[in-house]
Amino acid sequence: MKTSINGISINYRDQGRGIPVILIHAFPMNQTMWDDQVLALAPICRVITMDLRGFGASDIPLGPYWMALMASDVRGVMARLGIERAVLVGLSMGGYVAMSFYRNFPDSVSGLVLADTRAAGDNPEGRERRFASASKAEREGVESILDEMVQVLLSQTAISTRPDVVNRVRQIALQNHPEGLAAAQRGMAARPDSTDLLTRTDCPALVIVGADDRLSPPEEARRWQERMPNSRLAIIHGAGHLSNIEQPDLFNQALANFISTL
Ligand code: MLT
């Protein structure tokens, strides 16, 4: 379904009934990366997914897409659906958006799930890498940055033994346009450090991380999770960065357990 939020068209799905749970996707994906989660969760809660601005079937306005801007799009979708408070589930870039949402609208968050994401901002080299990747995508297309991305998005095991998973990730990424990906990279480069913010959260929180996540490794996730009040850590074995795609059953179980405690 489409709705107009902040002057652009946003594509979203809204399924199931009960406590609202909003799933926010990673880079360079779109809302279809959550298909397994929607199937598993719709019988127990109200699941909402959306294509962030610049991704999937949502509009691609000029960037950069600051995390706060994408958070305000999420808030717009909530308002349109008459939802005052929701559980936010963000994976990687979706986690950055969820942290920004919490910074700006803490009273609208009933639970926070941060999966395969990082509390810290980028260092100068990380920012440079993003700017280079943004320009490359604009010059040479999405395909040109994909091989390198897949290497860090998935575990080595998946890369060498699960062509279906590799293909699915590539196909989702290829549905995006270079302009949207570049604008999101530039927005992520500017995101603030959220480490202190996370020590002050007052809603229940769950941190999920793939045991083989090389982009946001478990040791790093544990360091900031331990400083988050009222939080738990779930390590997903046999998964890299896109833990919801590599091990949907384990990921869904962790999510369902958390939701059942709210
Ligand atoms: C993601 O999976 O959303 C991105 O890899 C996050 C990032 O580039 O920091």
Side-chain angles (χ1 to χ4, degrees):
M1 279 177 289
K2 300 237 176 159
T3 185
S4 170
I5 305 288
N6 292 331
I8 60 166
S9 168
I10 293 282
N11 186 42
Y12 73 97
R13 286 182 293 192
D14 178 11
Q15 284 174 33
R17 297 161 69 135
I19 178 169
V21 178
I22 306 185
L23 307 176
I24 313 173
H25 67 77
F27 175 97
M29 309 304 283
N30 62 41
Q31 64 170 342
T32 64
M33 78 166 226
W34 295 119
D35 285 355
D36 293 325
Q37 284 66 49
V38 172
L39 270 179
L41 294 180
I44 59 167
C45 58
R46 181 176 180 187
V47 204
I48 293 121
T49 65
M50 59 188 276
D51 288 330
L52 292 168
R53 60 172 58 216
F55 292 84
S58 288
D59 277 353
I60 311 170
L62 284 179
Y65 304 154
W66 317 117
M67 298 303 101
L69 188 53
M70 300 211 269
S72 130
D73 294 338
V74 175
R75 167 87 163 176
V77 169
M78 275 174 73
R80 189 59 44 85
L81 299 178
I83 297 169
E84 275 174 29
R85 296 181 85 221
V87 178
L88 291 190
V89 181
L91 192 142
S92 198
M93 177 181 74
Y96 309 152
V97 175
M99 290 178 226
S100 179
F101 188 105
Y102 188 82
R103 176 179 282 109
N104 295 314
F105 317 110
D107 296 341
S108 303
V109 182
S110 55
L112 193 56
V113 181
L114 300 174
D116 300 285
T117 193
R118 286 155 60 210
D122 288 345
N123 59 23
E125 298 76 48
R127 275 194 287 275
E128 281 314 313
R129 270 199 301 278
R130 287 196 197 280
F131 295 138
S133 161
S135 308
K136 186 166 184 200
E138 283 170 332
R139 267 194 332 265
E140 300 168 34
V142 175
E143 182 98 47
S144 73
I145 58 165
L146 215 51
D147 286 341
E148 205 177 312
M149 288 270 357
V150 166
Q151 287 300 321
V152 286
L153 292 175
L154 295 173
S155 66
Q156 279 308 332
T157 314
I159 290 170
S160 46
T161 65
R162 299 181 65 188
D164 53 323
V165 168
V166 175
N167 247 332
R168 176 166 172 220
V169 168
R170 291 186 66 91
Q171 289 315 315
I172 297 177
L174 285 169
Q175 289 163 21
N176 292 315
H177 294 266
E179 298 75 21
L181 298 191
Q185 279 286 27
R186 296 184 179 116
M188 285 193 281
R191 77 188 188 282
D193 191 306
S194 295
T195 314
D196 280 350
L197 174 80
L198 296 184
T199 63
R200 289 183 271 110
T201 48
D202 62 2
C203 62
L206 171 67
V207 176
I208 301 180
V209 63
D212 305 320
D213 186 338
R214 281 163 292 155
L215 264 183
S216 42
E219 315 80 67
E220 191 184 313
R222 188 186 294 279
R223 269 201 296 281
W224 50 266
Q225 177 270 326
E226 280 176 348
R227 299 179 55 207
M228 272 181 96
N230 205 0
S231 73
R232 288 193 306 115
L233 179 70
I235 296 187
I236 308 286
H237 292 282
H241 187 64
L242 296 177
S243 58
N244 72 310
I245 290 187
E246 282 195 45
Q247 296 295 344
D249 293 345
L250 297 177
F251 190 97
N252 297 345
Q253 194 60 56
L255 213 46
N257 285 348
F258 176 73
I259 292 166
S260 73
T261 64
L262 299 177

